[in-house]
Amino acid sequence: ILNVEQSPQSLHVQEGDSTNFTCSFPSSNFYALHWYRWETAKSPEALFVMTLNGDEKKKGRISATLNTKEGYSYLYIKGSQPEDSATYLCACLRGNEKLTFGTGTRLTIIP
Amino acid sequence: GAVVSQHPSRVICKSGTSVKIECRSLDFQATTMFWYRQFPKQSLMLMATSNEGSKATYEQGVEKDKFLINHASLTLSTLTVTSAHPEDSSFYICSASRRVGFLRSNQPQHFGDGTRLSIL
């Protein structure tokens, strides 16, 4: 994989349900994986920066895992709330010190 | 609160106009800032890396004479789209990290709110 890919592109989740989505990235020359939440009309907000294979990070109801050997990261949201509606971006930092972004997963929470 | 300020948030102007976009780090010094562009349904694409006190580094395919970057202080980088044309219409956004000039750290990027540029 030469690009950072996110799936699904969009999803609708019922309030209270849990959900997860995927970020795939090149595993070669990997340095770090970033997750951002981007709400409409706001700036992207950093959620996590992960560097080590097997890293798991948590922030409230949101958590993320990292597998650098196979080149993927999962973002989990437990008990979705309307305020979780946003686009979730992942970005991969490789040896060239430039962040390469995925196209994002657009999450809509249905009340 | 915001740690990176970007303005203007929206510009609509005629073809041939030059447009300046400012990106400021509010409570930290940033020797390096990044400028991205996003076309509809696409990812944020790095245009250039802005370096305080030296020339910007442009990504392949980005015309340096078209997109002038000035990083004259530790808290301000500007992107000027010169003689803008309709194909330059896009969303432009800047970012900076608290870790001075070094992306290889656990520090996340702080983004501005972005600038929606529309060239008529």
Side-chain angles (χ1 to χ4, degrees):
Chain A
I1 303 173
L2 296 179
N3 296 320
V4 176
E5 298 177 356
Q6 291 187 247
S7 63
Q9 284 189 347
S10 67
L11 78 161
H12 292 72
V13 174
Q14 199 70 41
E15 182 178 353
D17 287 352
S18 297
T19 187
N20 65 85
F21 25 92
T22 308
C23 173
S24 301
F25 53 88
S27 55
S28 62
N29 216 13
F30 171 86
Y31 193 81
L33 193 284
H34 293 219
W35 279 103
Y36 295 87
R37 174 170 58 202
W38 195 357
E39 296 179 66
T40 304
K42 295 185 178 181
S43 59
E45 171 199 358
L47 291 173
F48 307 112
V49 177
M50 297 183 289
T51 58
L52 299 176
N53 185 45
D55 256 355
E56 291 188 28
K57 293 209 171 180
K58 188 175 180 181
K59 188 176 182 178
R61 294 179 292 99
I62 304 176
S63 60
T65 61
L66 179 67
N67 183 320
T68 61
K69 295 188 186 303
E70 296 181 39
Y72 65 84
S73 175
Y74 292 133
L75 188 80
Y76 300 90
I77 302 178
K78 187 177 178 182
S80 303
Q81 299 297 309
E83 60 264 29
D84 297 328
S85 295
T87 295
Y88 291 82
L89 295 176
C90 72
C92 178
L93 177 64
R94 301 176 72 204
N96 62 5
E97 296 201 25
K98 297 172 186 175
L99 276 175
T100 301
F101 283 83
T103 52
T105 293
R106 187 185 205 88
L107 175 65
T108 303
I109 306 302
I110 304 166
Chain B
V3 295
V4 171
S5 170
Q6 182 178 343
H7 74 90
S9 58
R10 179 79 195 243
V11 179
I12 302 172
C13 57
K14 293 181 180 179
S15 185
T17 307
S18 291
V19 177
K20 181 187 281 189
I21 304 169
E22 291 189 349
C23 181
R24 292 180 186 273
S25 56
L26 298 181
D27 63 354
F28 64 98
Q29 294 180 335
T31 59
T32 304
M33 291 185 177
F34 300 92
W35 287 97
Y36 296 87
R37 180 170 54 184
Q38 185 183 39
F39 291 108
K41 297 186 188 275
Q42 295 187 22
S43 59
L44 292 176
M45 295 295 294
L46 181 65
M47 297 176 65
T49 303
S50 174
N51 304 300
E52 189 268 334
S54 65
K55 291 183 179 179
T57 306
Y58 290 82
E59 294 302 299
Q60 192 172 11
V62 178
E63 299 176 55
K64 62 180 181 180
D65 295 328
K66 175 74 169 176
F67 299 99
L68 298 178
I69 291 173
N70 184 277
H71 195 150
S73 78
L74 286 170
T75 59
L76 175 64
S77 174
T78 61
L79 169 68
T80 301
V81 184
T82 61
S83 186
H85 291 287
E87 59 267 26
D88 299 321
S89 298
S90 189
F91 181 79
Y92 295 86
I93 191 167
C94 67
S95 74
S97 167
R98 288 184 181 274
R99 181 68 182 269
V100 174
F102 189 55
L103 197 55
R104 284 193 175 203
S105 70
N106 287 340
Q107 294 298 314
Q109 288 294 297
H110 298 282
F111 287 86
D113 286 343
T115 299
R116 176 75 57 191
L117 177 62
S118 299
I119 308 298
L120 306 177

